[in-house]
Amino acid sequence: MDLSPTSVLLCPPVDISHGSAGGVIFDSSSLRQQTTIPKAFIWPSSDRPAATEELDAPVVDLSGFFHGDEESTLRAAKLVANACERHGFFQVVNHGVSELLARDALDWTDEFFRLPLCDKLRARRKPGGVWGYSAAHADRFSSELPWKETLSFGYREAAGSERVVIDYFVSMLGEEFERMGLAYQMYCEAMKGLSLAIIELLAISLGVDRMTYREFFDDSRSIMRCNYYPPCQEPELTLGTGPHCDPTALTILQQDHVGGLEVFSGRAWRYVRPVHNALVVNIGDTFMALSNGRYKSCLHRAVVNRHRERRSLAFFVCPREDKVIRPPPPSPEDVGGGPRLYPDFTWAQFMEFTQRHYRADMRTLRSFTKWLESSSSVTAT
Ligand SMILES: C=C1C[C@]23C[C@@]1(O)CC[C@H]2[C@]1(C)CCC[C@@](C)(C(=O)O)[C@H]1[C@@H]3C(=O)O
Ligand SMILES: O=C(O)CCC(=O)C(=O)O
Ligand SMILES: [Fe+2]
């Protein structure tokens, strides 16, 4: 692949007129020349207080669980239950994903984001869609823009889908991106396997049949997102990713060694320390609904810093679009206790809500539930 500086010169003029942010173009190399950041990147001060302490989240060793050792599985399940009941965040080590594969995926992320803007824009996100390249989401929003570039694509495991990620890269960017696609294809396959194992551990931790959720997510459709956070000259004014709860079911995040992920817990922002070879796992709104509120989908954000760029890879696990999301039988009380907290919904409905009607934040699930109830009363009349 030609990633040499000359490829910059070969770029045709880029049409960026689709941006809705009053002409903001998130080209970090030119933004870096300025001493202040554009207004559109400034977040309200209430969203920006600095984290002072580390989040109390366990680093769970999965080796005993993978070897079928009952005692260490129960120990791991206890740690997971405790973390998920408090804030929904924990880290896993000895997770079975090869270090090389994980490292490779991060390296390809560097390669992609170092491409000239015009090349990245070939994969630009289509209006209303989830997949593709996005520069600060400036095509979707006009204020509180995140100081990041992202590349998202879908992953599903099914007969004939062995090349689903590779084909995406080749079709969007060209034949020379086949190797990049292959690295992410392999990474997604590993993440899917790990996600099912974690989901099984979550079931054990909730005291329900260990296969209950695993079977539900067997045909899951995932979203893989590569995040690139450039250094920022005024990091205290902006955010890399604003405060939000993931609408998805479960997120497995690989963050590099720089740090920047923070969680709001115990009335304060707390940082998640990068642990070598660990993956960060968090509960999303959809799993919170599946556990009838017992496991928490917690507010989190990513901060940026003045000198160092940061990369993270988020693998969002989502149920098949048409599956009904409700706590498993025989009764919701088994997992969450008390009456049903959320109505039945599908991932297709929730996804449509976050892409067309609502910018995901800390209130997404509550706002979605209201929207769902009001739109079903409209269709019922
Ligand atoms: C369904 C989704 C909405 C967001 C992408 C995702 O696939 C999973 C997480 C969501 C997001 C990362 C939460 C923070 C706000 C957001 C706009 C972002 O900063 O990227 C998010 C998503 C989105 O693109 O709508
Ligand atoms: O980059 C990070 O550390 C977090 C990103 C995140 O929360 C997300 O993409 O949903
Ligand atoms: Fe998130």
Side-chain angles (χ1 to χ4, degrees):
M1 183 183 355
D2 177 18
L3 298 172
S4 65
T6 49
S7 61
V8 180
L9 301 173
L10 298 176
C11 274
V14 179
D15 170 21
I16 34 158
S17 54
H18 64 292
S20 64
V24 167
I25 301 157
F26 193 64
D27 181 358
S28 56
S29 48
S30 60
L31 278 178
R32 221 172 289 173
Q33 313 303 318
Q34 303 167 18
T35 50
T36 57
I37 61 172
K39 268 209 178 69
F41 288 93
I42 299 179
W43 284 70
S45 53
S46 55
D47 288 333
R48 293 190 263 117
T52 45
E53 275 176 54
E54 184 177 338
L55 180 74
D56 177 19
V59 178
V60 183
D61 185 340
L62 294 183
S63 52
F65 168 62
F66 280 128
H67 286 106
D69 180 79
E70 206 170 314
E71 206 175 300
S72 44
T73 299
L74 288 178
R75 209 175 316 125
K78 245 191 191 152
L79 288 173
V80 164
N82 188 266
C84 293
E85 281 167 353
R86 284 188 300 138
H87 47 56
F89 273 79
F90 58 95
Q91 307 209 42
V92 291
V93 288
N94 293 321
H95 40 62
V97 177
S98 116
E99 196 178 333
L100 213 72
L101 190 68
R103 175 81 225 180
D104 210 33
L106 270 187
D107 289 347
W108 281 109
T109 297
D110 286 337
E111 294 283 347
F112 176 80
F113 289 109
R114 267 190 221 129
L115 289 170
L117 185 62
C118 61
D119 284 343
K120 292 184 278 195
L121 285 173
R122 291 214 304 264
R124 86 163 62 135
R125 176 189 163 278
K126 306 264 177 324
V130 187
W131 300 9
Y133 169 73
S134 161
H137 299 336
D139 58 332
R140 298 167 68 190
F141 312 122
S142 53
S143 62
E144 294 168 22
L145 297 184
W147 193 265
K148 69 175 171 184
E149 294 174 62
T150 61
L151 175 68
S152 312
F153 45 89
Y155 174 74
R156 76 197 139 78
E157 191 184 45
S161 69
E162 300 76 13
R163 285 183 55 92
V164 61
V165 179
I166 304 173
D167 290 346
Y168 175 77
F169 275 79
V170 169
S171 67
M172 299 306 286
L173 296 160
E175 288 296 336
E176 66 276 32
F177 286 82
E178 172 144 14
R179 274 188 49 215
M180 189 181 277
L182 177 63
Y184 288 125
Q185 174 86 37
M186 286 169 23
Y187 186 77
C188 287
E189 283 164 9
M191 285 298 126
K192 168 76 196 264
L194 176 60
S195 70
L196 290 179
I198 293 172
I199 280 165
E200 192 175 326
L201 188 60
L202 288 173
I204 297 170
S205 73
L206 281 163
V208 295
D209 183 286
R210 65 192 286 162
M211 297 312 281
T212 310
Y213 292 111
R214 198 182 165 117
E215 281 163 5
F216 185 78
F217 283 100
D218 197 40
D219 53 5
S220 59
R221 315 293 209 234
S222 310
I223 302 165
M224 170 80 205
R225 176 174 277 199
C226 309
N227 294 308
Y228 171 69
Y229 303 99
C232 177
Q233 55 275 52
E234 293 184 297
E236 57 294 331
L237 294 184
T238 191
L239 288 169
T241 295
H244 68 282
C245 301
D246 292 345
T248 42
L250 189 79
T251 306
I252 305 179
L253 184 92
Q254 183 190 172
Q255 59 168 343
D256 67 13
H257 61 284
V258 172
L261 172 63
E262 298 182 350
V263 178
F264 192 76
S265 171
R267 295 165 184 237
W269 284 104
R270 298 169 197 274
Y271 58 87
V272 179
R273 182 173 52 94
V275 173
H276 186 62
N277 284 337
L279 294 164
V280 181
V281 180
N282 72 273
I283 299 293
D285 293 341
T286 295
F287 199 88
M288 180 158 77
L290 279 169
S291 70
N292 201 34
R294 183 163 150 200
Y295 281 4
K296 304 292 178 291
S297 169
C298 187
L299 191 63
H300 57 285
R301 68 180 187 186
V303 298
V304 289
N305 74 77
R306 195 174 299 272
H307 302 292
R308 302 165 88 180
E309 57 184 6
R310 172 172 182 260
R311 293 93 24 97
S312 71
L313 302 179
F315 186 78
F316 298 107
V317 182
C318 325
R320 203 183 68 205
E321 293 80 350
D322 57 338
K323 279 196 164 167
V324 177
I325 293 156
R326 74 164 71 102
S331 73
E333 287 80 0
D334 287 347
V335 283
R340 282 284 298 276
L341 293 183
Y342 310 100
D344 285 357
F345 63 92
T346 64
W347 173 244
Q349 291 170 310
F350 201 10
M351 171 84 126
E352 186 201 349
F353 183 69
T354 64
Q355 298 310 303
R356 288 182 199 276
H357 307 289
Y358 193 87
R359 179 177 184 174
D361 63 8
M362 67 281 268
R363 280 180 294 270
T364 314
L365 183 57
R366 223 178 316 144
S367 310
F368 168 66
T369 302
K370 275 197 187 142
W371 176 78
L372 198 64
E373 283 162 353
S374 65
S375 54
S376 62
S377 65
V378 168
T379 31
T381 50

